[in-house]
Amino acid sequence: MKKVITYGTFDLLHWGHIHLLKRAKALGDYLVVAISSDEFNRIKHKEAYHSYEHRKLIIEAIRYVDEVIPEHNWEQKIEDIKKHNIDVFVMGDDWEGEFDFLKELCEVVYLPRTEGISTSQIKDELK
């Protein structure tokens, strides 16, 4: 079984998120999604509208997702890859090159972002 992992806050879920998860799942057989915990978001100075538990509930309901885990810090990616026997690490291409150090452990893929939609755009338009 080929296992894939991706990371994100996944707040204010939109079709760009769904598109990313669908493309990530297509790279393997089993998709693990690591969602930033509320504590980690505070460290990153990032405010989510939904709590971790609510974001987890929403992501678990998406058919492309097989497992949801919390992300507590930047450093845990290596541990997650080993613990979950990950074959492919996926991030949006706005992170291009940032996770190349993981290529020693698994394949690293940067997927193009979905144009025309983002959580930041939604927040700006709601203001």
Side-chain angles (χ1 to χ4, degrees):
M1 179 187 314
K2 191 172 184 181
K3 295 179 90 175
V4 180
I5 194 165
T6 193
Y7 290 76
T9 301
F10 295 100
D11 191 32
L12 301 183
L13 192 70
H14 54 72
W15 54 275
H17 290 128
I18 302 300
H19 192 58
L20 173 75
L21 295 171
K22 181 180 181 179
R23 291 182 295 155
K25 176 65 178 246
L27 295 172
D29 305 300
Y30 189 90
L31 177 60
V32 178
V33 178
I35 299 176
S36 300
S37 67
D38 296 331
E39 296 79 16
F40 187 39
N41 276 339
R42 280 193 282 281
I43 290 168
K44 297 187 292 183
H45 304 289
K46 191 170 189 177
E47 188 176 339
Y49 178 81
H50 296 289
S51 70
Y52 168 80
E53 287 302 322
H54 290 158
R55 289 180 283 126
K56 181 177 185 283
L57 181 69
I58 292 165
I59 297 299
E60 285 175 333
I62 297 170
R63 69 180 175 186
Y64 308 113
V65 177
D66 296 293
E67 183 178 354
V68 175
I69 62 172
E71 179 185 24
H72 297 294
N73 58 65
W74 293 109
E75 296 79 25
Q76 83 179 59
K77 289 174 179 63
I78 292 171
E79 179 185 322
D80 290 344
I81 289 167
K82 291 177 180 177
K83 179 179 177 182
H84 297 276
N85 299 311
I86 298 300
D87 300 293
V88 184
F89 174 92
V90 175
M91 289 296 283
D93 64 0
D94 53 330
W95 290 95
E96 186 86 39
E98 291 293 321
F99 300 105
D100 286 356
F101 67 94
L102 297 173
K103 289 180 179 180
E104 297 174 7
L105 302 169
C106 64
E107 180 182 356
V108 176
V109 175
Y110 299 99
L111 294 175
R113 303 293 280 203
T114 303
E115 291 194 30
I117 189 70
S118 72
T119 300
S120 298
Q121 174 190 342
I122 291 170
K123 287 180 178 180
D124 288 345
E125 289 177 5
L126 287 174
K127 289 179 184 177

